[in-house]
Amino acid sequence: MTAHETLKILHILGTVLIFGTGIGTAFFLLMAYRTRDLDAIRVTTRHVVIADWLFTAPAVIAQPITGALLMRALGMPRIRHGSRQSRLSTC
């Protein structure tokens, strides 16, 4: 497996982690809120925060890093915000 393939896999896994954790935690929070049981909501919210720290935060940090490394591996120019190079051409 090449470095490019490894970066692509890591980038895709990060996306899946962000999306999957978001959907899963939203579902469990919704189910807890529907019970109107404050203890269930408290426990579920605590678990959602733990899941966000364990899964979502590292994936969010890894996404721009793997994205930048993929851009470099493909030979794409570095984008600088505010410069003419970063604006989309309308021609």
Side-chain angles (χ1 to χ4, degrees):
M1 185 178 303
T2 67
H4 181 259
E5 291 170 336
T6 303
L7 284 172
K8 274 177 42 174
I9 289 171
L10 289 173
H11 196 71
I12 291 169
L13 285 176
T15 303
V16 170
L17 269 174
I18 292 168
F19 184 74
T21 305
I23 293 293
T25 56
F27 172 77
F28 284 111
L29 266 179
L30 176 65
M31 293 296 111
Y33 280 119
R34 289 184 64 191
T35 66
R36 297 180 187 249
D37 179 4
L38 291 179
D39 287 331
I41 294 169
R42 181 182 50 80
V43 169
T44 304
T45 304
R46 183 175 352 130
H47 291 149
V48 165
V49 171
I50 292 170
D52 279 345
W53 278 107
L54 290 176
F55 303 111
T56 309
V60 166
I61 292 168
Q63 281 302 101
I65 295 169
T66 57
L69 291 173
L70 279 169
M71 287 178 63
R72 180 193 284 175
L74 293 172
M76 295 177 73
R78 190 167 171 215
I79 297 174
R80 293 191 180 104
H81 295 288
S83 69
R84 290 182 186 207
Q85 185 180 20
S86 68
R87 295 187 191 131
L88 293 176
S89 175
T90 57
C91 298

